[in-house]
Amino acid sequence: MSLLDRILLLDIFAGLGVTARHLARPADTVEYPEKAKEPSERFRGMFLLDEERCIKCTLCAIECPINIIYIDWHSEKNAEGKAEKKLDRFDLDMKRCMFCGLCEEACPTNPRSIWLATKTYELGTYERNESLYLDIRKLTQWDGNVKPFPTADPAKAPVNPAKEK
Amino acid sequence: MSEGTPGTAALVPPPEEPTLLGLHEMELNFGPQHPATHGVLRVVLKVDGERIVSARPDVGYLHRGTEKLFETETYPMVIPHTDRMDYVAAATNNHAYCLAVEKILGVEVPKRAQYIRVLLDEMQRVSSHLLWLATAAIDLGAITPFFYTFREREVILDLFEEYCGARLTLNCMRIGGLPVDLTPGWVERTQAFFETLEAKIDEYEDLLTENRIWKERTVGIGVLAADRCVAWGVTGPVLRAAGVAWDVRRALPYECYPELEFDIPVGKNADTYDRYLVRVAELRQSRRIALQCCDWLAKNPEGEIRGKVPRVIKPAAGMAYASVEAPKGELGFFLVSSGANKPYRLHVRAPSFVNLQSLPEMIRGHLVSDLVAVIGTYDIVLGEVDR
């Protein structure tokens, strides 16, 4: 390092120059929770279940790596006298879910009976078991635990795929 | 690791006259809650004044028994667990595991899936190196690179989110290929990002490369010569900074790497500063590979993304080892199959764990403040060290 460099601190000013160039730039961050970034279409968030489409095959429960899905069903005669599976329980331990999406991939119905692409990610609660150990009542309701993403334009808000047949 | 092993006996200095307190050496705990240990690493130091006489890394604070857990899961169910080892580079973890299972099954991965996988790997490498640059610089007192690198990393995470739906724990590869195809416009957006990356890397270099404070803290610190690196089994940028051009992408090619053009940057002095230079050069090379992949994918927008894999994966009894060049070094999966639908044994050769073993040798004789620089230079992720 030459004497001139020692006095003029050229290397330090090169770094400060980068900082100075960024002074006038607009901020890249947003003020959460006043503003929130909308997740992408494939974003894996909170579950949604369509009870009518579900064929009670329990493949999602089998494929789950941490066994957090519990399904119980019984057989019932419908009006035509045919045997039909009825869901008794569809429980999900949301506290342990790691949102890998393997249950959604395992679902054999077309369209699928489980969605993770609900764009819901605000799942923090005060009561851990009441809100995060979910039963079928909470899993199938769009406005319960699965809240639509608060987009500015209500027309653009994601719709409940279960109701869109 | 410190007292019992031969060769380390020389670490203990000859007895001297007792000082006022009757002690020369003091035992000092560094971590596991120290913010500069990048997680929960505990280093038991023996210090003589400010100088480190010996260091013993004490790992296991984040041990989750992942390797045992693998044995209880069927083959596809293992993939989300591999995300959680090196959690800042999940794509390479997925890739290495899938390669091992594909090897034992004998499955051919379609060309398009190979290119997408390589592109995801390189994006992951860029994001991991950017995170390393941010945290290593912040450890040594340079806070500005943190903001700039995280800005670019955010773009990569957004691209990951658009492709597979997650930002960090990606679960973005499947045995035999990929879970989903690319979304429309994804390749163009990725290409546009990598086009702008070169100027951004110049910016980081402006901040650090010639900065005299950065150089004072890194030049000549933590030297581990090439022969010692090889003896310890160190891989990745730490080995390449010592002048050994060992890169799994070139040495044991996998996927479509033989078709891509890239250089292997190597250092000379094997110190912390050279490791920084090697990683920055790797950012540029990753950008080069990613742009070639984008070109190929733009030319081939259609195609299979998943090979012919049976519905229930039950490989014949046998063994397979597959490795990839993860951002931290050579990441390998050694799979033993007993013919069941679950692995009999799945051992992970984690680069962070292997690299960390050389810490006592690298830090000997340095000051306590240099320990922060040396731990930073390894680019360890404790999730991978402890598994």
Side-chain angles (χ1 to χ4, degrees), chain A residues 11 40 42 44 65 100 105, chain B residues 73 161 163-164 171 174:
Chain A
D11 48 333
S40 63
R42 284 180 182 174
R44 300 198 293 258
C100 62
E105 262 172 58
Chain B
E73 311 267 344
E161 185 192 317
Y163 168 62
C164 66
N171 191 17
R174 294 291 181 276

Side-chain angles (χ1 to χ4, degrees), chain B residues 45-286:
Chain B
L45 300 172
K46 276 210 180 100
V47 288
D48 182 3
E50 184 75 356
R51 214 155 274 283
I52 295 171
V53 179
S54 74
R56 183 170 58 87
D58 185 8
V59 299
Y61 287 90
L62 202 59
H63 180 68
R64 293 156 294 175
T66 315
E67 284 183 17
K68 190 69 192 167
L69 188 63
F70 289 158
E71 293 165 20
T72 65
E73 311 267 344
T74 62
Y75 284 96
M77 279 151 63
V78 168
I79 302 172
H81 291 302
T82 63
D83 285 339
R84 280 145 183 88
M85 293 192 319
D86 181 358
Y87 41 78
V88 299
T92 46
N93 294 355
N94 294 167
H95 198 167
Y97 169 70
C98 290
L99 278 180
V101 182
E102 281 152 16
K103 204 169 182 178
I104 207 165
L105 281 174
V107 173
E108 183 79 17
V109 180
K111 204 85 204 161
R112 184 173 156 79
Q114 290 187 14
Y115 271 91
I116 298 174
R117 278 180 170 193
V118 167
L119 178 55
L120 290 172
D121 269 16
E122 295 306 321
M123 284 165 67
Q124 192 72 81
R125 194 184 319 280
V126 170
S127 111
S128 172
H129 279 1
L130 288 179
L131 184 82
W132 169 80
L133 189 58
T135 50
I138 218 167
D139 282 346
L140 299 185
I143 199 170
T144 322
F146 180 84
F147 300 119
Y148 297 165
T149 53
F150 264 59
R151 182 188 58 199
E152 270 71 72
R153 186 169 171 266
E154 183 70 19
V155 181
I156 297 182
L157 296 189
D158 280 344
L159 286 166
F160 274 134
E161 185 192 317
E162 190 184 329
Y163 168 62
C164 66
R167 298 165 66 80
L168 218 56
T169 48
L170 301 171
N171 191 17
C172 67
M173 289 178 201
R174 294 291 181 276
I175 294 155
L178 297 159
V180 282
D181 209 335
L182 303 175
T183 51
W186 190 85
V187 175
E188 288 74 35
R189 276 191 288 280
T190 311
Q191 196 160 14
F193 165 73
F194 278 108
E195 297 285 353
T196 59
L197 187 66
E198 186 79 26
K200 304 279 172 63
I201 299 170
D202 290 341
E203 220 167 59
Y204 315 142
E205 287 223 72
D206 277 350
L207 284 171
L208 290 177
T209 305
E210 290 303 323
N211 189 316
R212 73 181 64 181
I213 307 167
W214 178 252
K215 275 181 139 175
E216 288 279 321
R217 291 298 305 270
T218 55
V219 174
I221 302 294
V223 177
L224 194 67
D227 57 329
R228 297 308 298 155
C229 281
V230 174
W232 282 108
V234 169
T235 48
V238 183
L239 177 65
R240 288 192 284 275
V244 184
W246 168 267
D247 190 315
V248 180
R249 291 175 289 178
R250 186 62 60 73
L252 310 160
Y254 52 97
E255 307 289 21
C256 58
Y257 275 113
E259 296 162 28
L260 300 166
E261 277 180 28
F262 62 96
D263 300 327
I264 301 170
V266 287
K268 216 164 50 193
N269 303 323
D271 59 0
T272 304
Y273 185 66
D274 271 27
R275 286 174 209 130
Y276 155 75
L277 291 180
V278 164
R279 287 202 175 93
V280 172
E282 273 184 22
L283 282 178
R284 296 185 198 276
Q285 294 304 323
S286 286

Side-chain angles (χ1 to χ4, degrees), chain A residues 6 27 83 97 111 135 159:
Chain A
R6 276 181 190 279
C97 180
D135 57 10
V159 286

Side-chain angles (χ1 to χ4, degrees), chain A residues 2-139:
Chain A
S2 69
L3 187 69
L4 202 66
D5 273 357
R6 276 181 190 279
I7 298 164
L8 292 178
L9 299 171
L10 290 177
D11 48 333
I12 304 283
F13 280 107
L16 283 175
V18 177
T19 317
R21 278 204 297 279
H22 283 76
L23 270 180
R25 286 180 81 257
D28 284 300
T29 47
V30 291
E31 292 284 331
Y32 186 80
E34 281 81 29
K35 280 183 196 164
K37 273 175 88 176
E38 186 173 342
S40 63
E41 293 297 319
R42 284 180 182 174
F43 179 76
R44 300 198 293 258
M46 178 61 207
F47 282 73
L48 189 63
L49 171 75
D50 186 351
E51 200 184 339
E52 288 168 32
R53 270 188 215 160
C54 177
I55 58 166
K56 292 90 186 167
C57 64
T58 68
L59 273 179
C60 49
I62 293 165
E63 284 291 311
C64 178
I66 44 177
N67 298 328
I68 58 166
I69 303 176
Y70 179 78
I71 300 172
D72 221 355
W73 54 269
H74 68 275
S75 207
E76 209 175 78
K77 288 255 162 63
N78 63 3
E80 297 159 21
K82 276 185 179 172
E84 202 177 67
K85 285 176 178 177
K86 284 275 176 213
L87 270 181
D88 292 329
R89 285 178 79 173
F90 193 106
D91 291 0
L92 195 67
D93 191 353
M94 206 65 208
K95 303 186 292 291
R96 290 168 58 205
C97 180
M98 53 184 185
F99 303 99
C100 62
L102 288 185
C103 52
E104 188 186 353
E105 262 172 58
C107 188
T109 64
N110 191 20
R112 283 175 179 153
S113 323
I114 300 176
W115 301 265
L116 269 73
T118 49
K119 295 195 181 183
T120 304
Y121 55 85
E122 290 171 337
L123 300 168
T125 52
Y126 290 102
E127 289 295 325
R128 63 185 224 154
N129 279 333
E130 274 192 13
S131 302
L132 285 177
Y133 186 80
L134 303 179
D135 57 10
I136 189 160
R137 184 175 48 81
K138 287 176 183 165
L139 283 173

